[in-house]
Amino acid sequence: MPPVMATPSAEAALTVDGAADERSLALRQQRLDELNGASLRALAGEVDLHYRGARLFQGEHWLKPRAPHLQVAEQSPDLADPLTRRALADALAQQLRHTDSVLHQQLAPKPLVERLIFDLLEQLRAESQVPPWQPGVIHNLRRRFERWSWQFMQSGHCETAAGLFVFAISQIAWTRISGHLLDQDAADLIESTRADLTPVIGIALAGLRRDRDDQRAFAQHALSIAAEMARRIRDASPAPDERQEQEIDATLRAAFSIELDIEQESEESLPDSATGLSKSFEASGQQYRIFSTQYDREDAITDLVRPAQLKDFRARLDPLLEGQQLHLKRLARQLQLVLARPEQEGWNFGEEEGLIDGRRLSLLLSTPGERRLFRQPRQVLRNDTVFSILLDCSGSMKAHVDTIAPLVDMLSRALEMAGGRSEVLGFTTAAWSGGRARKQWLAQGQPALPGRLNERQHLVFKSAETPWRHARNSIAGLFKSDLFREGLDGEAVEWACSRLIGCEAQRRLLLVISDGCPMDSATTQANDAWYLDNHLKQVVARQERLGAVQIMGLGVGLDLGVYYRHCLGIDARRRIDMRMLDDLVALIARRHHR
């Protein structure tokens, strides 16, 4: 039987109705992750914890759950349950607070079987440290483990010797460390296995309970249990050669995690951006280098494209907008409600309630029945926001221009109708494969760690001070295909933020639209594959700390969560509709009201 569900809390109100569409589900889950992130920071005592997409990061490092009962695939229905997401956050908080990760890595065994069991036991130890005055956390953790146990039994993994051994030790250790009673079905299933194991590992099990406050001492008992369980699993499934050994490890990995691999992607979900650690960036002291700025450019699109050609591009863009059947005024109203703030503008006099108007007190004597003796402040919505749209103009984005150009044009126009200001920027390179900057580097003997090796080009399609009607042809300049080359995202984000900071406004928002990670072939070859990637992360993290600009990411066929805390992914194969725009407004609303 599955564990009894807890009484829904306030967070349960975020549970998505079965009829809700997939995008709305993703947005609500992101909001829930923001709430869980705040709770997690408080429980763990760490200020740099945050979610990107469905993943938890500490600073720029992804915190991957170690134990199997915390590994839930992103496509799993379990993630639609807010109580499950809260339990995962609570479990990770305990791991961060009570597990020394460096010590854990030093003590952890290398063989897969032992490592899986060792990770599980350490997580159970961390979860057992919850103080009794936090009964909600205790309940969440117990509910999650019982849910996983029920799923494990239903999956059929217990029908194999390896699966049954793994399940048995997880249940025995959990009840011994936490003091919770086992579910009757689980107890019945492992009864004979427990009777066989207890005489052999009984001393180590007692040590788990006794030394649960000492990670190093606890680890010695955990290592003993892990080694014994690995021996029994292999005895039950003989593996005379290396190939069969690998097959047993693969079978055990599948048995140990209901979802197999939490990084596995469903066909319907957007892929994640690839990322990694740049050794060149580390070797440079995390100081981004530029070999030459001599050929860098910042161009207005009107200086690159003839007016007649811009007019032709506009004639191509207008039919695309008309074919979308989008409601511009509705989008503008939504943005106004999200971005505008009420401000007092004078008074309304002759009101029946409010503040007493001294000028009308004489009416109390002349007209005792008069009640309109009050005044109330008159408020208007005022939008003092500057919104920058930064477009990735790398070569791969050319394929999406028929989708992105109408979106950018409509968003820019709606922002102006909502009373705000907007600018449309782009970033690319002025050459392929480094151009003159790379030739200069070659001529100087190819010094090591040169940093960026290309001619940077920043594009201004519309400035914040230019009305949309004057820039409508310039925005259509996105259709000029030879602008699209390579991308230096980190420098572009820094440039866009500096332009925003130079604008007088109460709020400054930046939306980065991209379909991939930073890429410049010359820079990558001279440094390494993740040099530009690591710089982008550094820039975004720095701007987030400064707080002057609020940054969002819009991934085109890609999840940009590894770069931007607040992001949305769209399928570029689908036409723009109001549902997609509603999702974008919801993203802006969450980022605006921090």
Side-chain angles (χ1 to χ4, degrees), residues 64-221:
K64 182 178 180 179
R66 300 190 188 103
H69 64 289
L70 306 182
Q71 296 183 7
V72 182
E74 294 178 6
Q75 68 270 24
S76 171
D78 272 4
L79 285 186
D81 175 18
L83 296 178
T84 294
R85 296 172 81 90
R86 177 58 189 270
L88 296 177
D90 288 345
L92 287 170
Q94 298 308 308
Q95 174 186 313
L96 289 167
R97 191 173 186 88
H98 299 290
T99 296
D100 183 335
S101 59
V102 175
L103 177 61
H104 181 78
Q105 294 295 334
Q106 291 174 350
L107 298 176
K110 293 183 178 180
L112 175 65
V113 178
E114 288 94 323
R115 179 61 182 263
L116 292 173
I117 297 172
F118 184 77
D119 286 346
L120 170 65
L121 295 178
E122 171 55 28
Q123 179 63 37
L124 295 180
R125 185 195 73 83
E127 293 179 13
S128 73
Q129 302 299 307
V130 182
W133 57 83
Q134 293 180 349
V137 176
I138 294 173
H139 171 80
N140 291 338
L141 297 178
R142 177 174 183 174
R143 178 184 181 276
R144 177 59 208 158
F145 187 85
E146 290 177 343
R147 173 68 177 170
W148 172 79
S149 300
W150 178 78
Q151 288 178 322
F152 198 105
M153 289 188 289
Q154 296 299 311
S155 70
H157 291 317
C158 290
E159 296 175 5
T160 67
L164 182 58
F165 275 126
V166 166
F167 183 73
I169 193 58
S170 68
Q171 302 300 303
I172 295 170
W174 178 72
T175 189
R176 184 64 64 95
I177 296 172
S178 68
H180 296 314
L181 297 178
L182 288 179
D183 174 82
Q184 190 59 48
D185 289 341
D188 292 342
L189 180 61
I190 67 170
E191 181 178 2
S192 60
T193 307
R194 178 164 54 179
D196 182 43
L197 286 174
T198 302
V200 180
I201 62 174
I203 295 177
L205 286 173
L208 295 182
R209 177 71 180 181
R210 182 182 64 251
D211 294 325
R212 62 177 182 162
D213 295 329
D214 184 339
Q215 181 180 345
R216 186 180 292 275
F218 179 94
Q220 301 309 310
H221 307 303

Side-chain angles (χ1 to χ4, degrees), residues 324 326 402-404 406-407 574-578 580-581:
Q324 304 290 356
L326 303 174
D402 283 353
T403 299
I404 298 305
L407 173 64
R574 298 176 58 179
R575 60 184 293 176
I576 299 174
D577 54 20
M578 288 308 300
M580 183 185 296
L581 294 176

Side-chain angles (χ1 to χ4, degrees), residues 231-301:
R231 184 187 67 77
R232 287 178 175 256
I233 289 171
R234 286 178 168 78
D235 286 347
S237 305
D241 57 40
E242 182 179 353
R243 182 171 177 272
Q244 290 187 15
E245 181 82 10
Q246 294 174 351
E247 290 176 356
I248 289 177
D249 283 352
T251 300
L252 184 66
R253 186 186 294 275
F256 211 55
S257 175
I258 296 297
E259 303 294 349
L260 301 183
D261 187 353
I262 63 172
E263 297 182 27
Q264 184 177 356
E265 297 169 356
S266 68
E267 294 181 358
E268 298 180 357
S269 63
L270 295 177
D272 296 327
S273 300
T275 188
L277 181 64
S278 170
K279 294 182 179 179
S280 296
F281 199 64
E282 292 292 326
S284 303
Q286 294 190 336
Q287 295 296 316
Y288 182 67
R289 295 181 178 181
I290 301 174
F291 186 76
S292 174
T293 61
Q294 180 179 352
Y295 309 106
D296 293 350
R297 301 170 54 181
E298 179 179 323
D299 298 309
I301 195 66

Side-chain angles (χ1 to χ4, degrees), residues 220-464:
Q220 301 309 310
H221 307 303
L223 288 169
S224 175
I225 293 173
E228 175 63 24
M229 296 306 301
R231 184 187 67 77
R232 287 178 175 256
I233 289 171
R234 286 178 168 78
D235 286 347
S237 305
D241 57 40
E242 182 179 353
R243 182 171 177 272
Q244 290 187 15
E245 181 82 10
Q246 294 174 351
E247 290 176 356
I248 289 177
D249 283 352
T251 300
L252 184 66
R253 186 186 294 275
F256 211 55
S257 175
I258 296 297
E259 303 294 349
L260 301 183
D261 187 353
I262 63 172
E263 297 182 27
Q264 184 177 356
E265 297 169 356
S266 68
E267 294 181 358
E268 298 180 357
S269 63
L270 295 177
D272 296 327
S273 300
T275 188
L277 181 64
S278 170
K279 294 182 179 179
S280 296
F281 199 64
E282 292 292 326
S284 303
Q286 294 190 336
Q287 295 296 316
Y288 182 67
R289 295 181 178 181
I290 301 174
F291 186 76
S292 174
T293 61
Q294 180 179 352
Y295 309 106
D296 293 350
R297 301 170 54 181
E298 179 179 323
D299 298 309
I301 195 66
T302 52
D303 296 332
L304 302 176
V305 187
R306 293 177 292 106
Q309 190 174 17
L310 287 175
K311 188 175 181 180
D312 291 341
F313 287 151
R314 188 68 211 187
R316 175 180 170 183
L317 176 56
D318 286 336
L320 293 176
L321 284 165
E322 294 172 2
Q324 304 290 356
Q325 297 181 345
L326 303 174
H327 301 287
L328 178 64
K329 291 183 178 180
R330 173 186 163 188
L331 177 60
R333 287 195 301 269
Q334 290 176 320
L335 289 172
Q336 184 181 36
L337 291 174
V338 166
L339 299 175
R341 285 186 168 184
E343 291 186 4
Q344 183 174 337
E345 188 179 77
W347 295 86
N348 291 324
F349 297 97
E351 301 292 335
E352 294 187 357
E353 58 182 12
L355 299 175
I356 294 177
D357 184 0
R359 296 175 301 177
R360 300 176 63 87
L361 287 178
S362 60
L363 292 176
L364 285 175
L365 300 177
S366 61
T367 313
E370 179 62 61
R371 300 178 58 184
R372 293 172 295 176
L373 306 174
F374 302 90
R375 60 175 181 164
Q376 293 183 356
R378 181 171 61 248
Q379 292 188 331
V380 295
L381 288 177
R382 197 175 307 280
N383 184 358
D384 187 14
T385 302
V386 59
F387 193 109
S388 181
I389 304 170
L390 178 63
L391 294 162
D392 173 9
C393 294
S394 58
S396 58
M397 281 288 284
K398 279 194 294 187
H400 309 306
V401 69
D402 283 353
T403 299
I404 298 305
L407 173 64
V408 170
D409 184 81
M410 187 172 187
L411 185 58
S412 177
R413 189 177 179 187
L415 285 164
E416 185 173 306
M417 294 173 62
R421 290 172 290 163
S422 69
E423 63 179 2
V424 180
L425 309 174
F427 64 94
T428 183
T429 56
W432 289 98
S433 303
R436 290 167 291 182
R438 183 173 182 273
K439 290 179 181 179
Q440 190 178 85
W441 173 68
L442 293 173
Q444 295 183 18
Q446 304 180 32
L449 302 177
R452 189 251 291 174
L453 278 181
N454 208 329
E455 305 173 24
R456 184 188 68 197
Q457 185 174 23
H458 290 159
L459 304 169
V460 180
F461 294 91
K462 176 188 179 300
S463 68

